[in-house]
């Protein structure tokens, strides 16, 4: 075999290797989803978006909830008997209100128990979907977020505040239009959230919580921890199955041109039974 043949084989292997790796990853996902469905006797649906910016031909790319996602989730629910429980794994920064509401409405109207798992975060539209569930399973440090509408880079609530505090003669037409749209958006999202929350809460409490989440009480990236969610009246549990963590690992962040800032050895570090840790390291408690 000549040097030229070796070079060609190297290039062929380099081109095929990513495809083979992706096929193996997809096969592992299917096996893990099937195992989780058998154990929980449910339909498992994942909505996973990687928010971190990647680079493709020099352009930043980010994923979010869109119409394609709502179409896929609705199809999965339609393929599921009404009495079969639904398990949704959410990992998303949010997205289009329309798409999130389509998913949330389908979730709320499902007859069987609906559980939403949030291993890391489900912000904005992800939170809107979670509000429709019978149970929201979070980790101690995973988060939900406010669902106040955003118009471009401006919160709807802030645009309304500008109209209220600034003399009308000094407000441009575009700001007036955006504030009008923002007022309508808040009303619409609040009404939708109230309807979703009444699956678990009395009407008065559902309305009050929907108002808190949509009216701009917090910034849009405010973290609603599991403990905060419980205090707000959400059906939050912190019993996160290990299989959900393992499943999410099979949806890794695509390789970026620049490496990430976190690095560690991917092995378990558990204390042996009967030991404790002090400044000098591990010591036997016996």
């Amino acid at each position: 075999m000549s040097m030229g043949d070796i070079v060609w084989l190297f290039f062929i292997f380099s081109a095929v290797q990513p495809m083979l790796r992706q096929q193996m990853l997809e096969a592992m996902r299917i096996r893990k989803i099937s195992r989780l469905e058998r154990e929980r006797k449910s339909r498992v649906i994942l909505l996973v978006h990687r928010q971190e910016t990647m680079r493709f031909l020099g352009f930043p790319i980010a994923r979010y909830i869109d119409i394609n996602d709502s179409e896929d989730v609705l199809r999965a629910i339609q393929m599921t008997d009404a009495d079969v429980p639904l398990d949704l794994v959410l990992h998303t920064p949010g997205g289009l209100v329309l798409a999130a509401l389509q998913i949330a409405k389908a979730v709320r109207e499902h007859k069987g128990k609906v559980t939403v798992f949030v291993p890391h975060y489900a912000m904005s539209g992800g939170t809107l979907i979670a509000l429709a569930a019978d149970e929201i399973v979070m980790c101690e440090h995973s988060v939900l977020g406010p669902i106040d509408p955003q118009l471009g880079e401006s919160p709807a609530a802030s645009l309304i505040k500008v109209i209220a505090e600034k003399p009308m003669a000094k407000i441009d037409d575009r700001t007036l239009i955006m504030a009008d749209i923002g007022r309508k958006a808040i009303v619409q999202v609040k009404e939708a959230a109230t309807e979703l929350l009444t699956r678990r809460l009395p009407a008065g409490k559902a309305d009050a919580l929907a108002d808190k989440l949509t009216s701009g009480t917090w910034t849009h990236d405010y973290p609603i921890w599991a403990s905060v969610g419980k205090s707000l009246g959400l059906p939050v549990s912190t019993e996160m199955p290990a299989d959900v963590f393992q499943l999410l690992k099979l949806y890794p962040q695509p390789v970026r041109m620049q490496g990430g800032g976190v690095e560690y050895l991917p092995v378990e570090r558990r204390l042996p039974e009967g030991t404790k840790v002090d400044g000098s390291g591990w010591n036997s408690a016996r």
Side-chain angles (χ1 to χ4, degrees):
M1 182 179 292
S2 67
M3 181 60 67
D5 292 334
I6 294 175
V7 171
W8 275 111
L9 286 174
F10 172 78
F11 280 113
I12 291 172
F13 178 76
S14 299
V16 172
Q17 187 181 30
M19 297 173 57
L20 294 176
R21 186 184 298 116
Q22 184 62 32
Q23 289 179 355
M24 291 177 60
L25 192 60
E26 290 176 359
M28 292 170 66
R29 290 173 182 172
I30 291 172
R31 288 198 297 270
K32 181 63 72 173
I33 292 172
S34 297
R35 174 181 171 181
L36 194 57
E37 287 188 337
R38 287 196 303 270
E39 291 178 351
R40 293 184 55 84
K41 297 179 174 59
S42 67
R43 162 75 75 180
V44 174
I45 305 172
L46 284 91
L47 185 58
V48 177
H49 297 134
R50 290 299 186 180
Q51 172 69 353
E52 297 87 349
T53 301
M54 302 171 288
R55 289 198 171 275
F56 177 72
L57 299 179
F59 297 99
I61 302 173
R63 292 290 312 281
Y64 56 87
I65 301 172
D66 59 19
I67 295 300
N68 292 324
D69 292 322
S70 63
E71 181 180 346
D72 288 340
V73 173
L74 264 59
R75 184 180 296 113
I77 294 175
Q78 290 165 356
M79 294 171 61
T80 307
D81 283 344
D83 292 322
V84 174
L86 290 180
D87 289 333
L88 275 70
V89 180
L90 299 182
H91 179 82
T92 178
L96 297 179
V97 173
L98 172 60
L101 274 178
Q102 282 186 298
I103 297 171
K105 184 173 175 59
V107 165
R108 187 186 186 281
E109 294 178 354
H110 187 73
K111 185 178 177 181
K113 181 181 178 181
V114 178
T115 305
V116 163
F117 295 94
V118 184
H120 183 50
Y121 77 148
M123 305 296 284
S124 191
T127 299
L128 194 59
I129 296 170
L131 296 183
D134 295 297
E135 182 180 22
I136 306 171
V137 181
M138 303 173 65
C139 303
E140 183 181 356
H141 298 108
S142 55
V143 295
L144 303 173
I147 55 174
D148 55 311
Q150 307 292 296
L151 304 180
E153 297 180 355
S154 302
S158 297
L159 288 167
I160 294 172
K161 188 175 182 180
V162 168
I163 300 300
E165 297 185 356
K166 193 172 183 180
M168 189 65 66
K170 295 184 178 181
I171 304 174
D172 63 272
D173 290 348
R174 175 170 175 77
T175 302
L176 289 171
I177 292 170
M178 295 298 287
D180 181 57
I181 295 172
R183 189 178 295 107
K184 295 172 183 175
I186 290 175
V187 171
Q188 290 167 186
V189 176
K190 179 186 173 182
E191 289 178 351
T194 300
E195 181 182 355
L196 297 175
L197 288 165
T198 53
R199 177 164 179 163
R200 295 284 306 181
L201 297 174
K205 290 185 177 180
D207 183 76
L209 179 53
D211 183 71
K212 194 176 188 68
L213 293 172
T214 60
S215 61
T217 302
W218 302 297
T219 59
H220 197 59
D221 61 350
Y222 179 81
I224 298 176
W225 313 100
S227 58
V228 176
K230 286 181 180 179
S231 69
L232 292 174
L234 295 177
V236 173
S237 165
T238 53
E239 300 296 324
M240 181 69 69
D243 280 347
V244 173
F245 281 124
Q246 294 168 6
L247 183 56
L248 195 62
K249 288 181 181 179
L250 300 179
Y251 294 81
Q253 168 65 32
V255 177
R256 295 174 287 177
M257 293 180 66
Q258 296 179 346
V262 177
E263 191 168 348
Y264 63 96
L265 298 178
V267 295
E268 296 283 345
R269 286 286 181 262
R270 307 294 184 190
L271 288 176
E273 185 178 356
T275 63
K276 61 181 180 179
V277 176
D278 57 24
S280 62
W282 290 5
N283 293 289
S284 174
R286 296 173 182 171

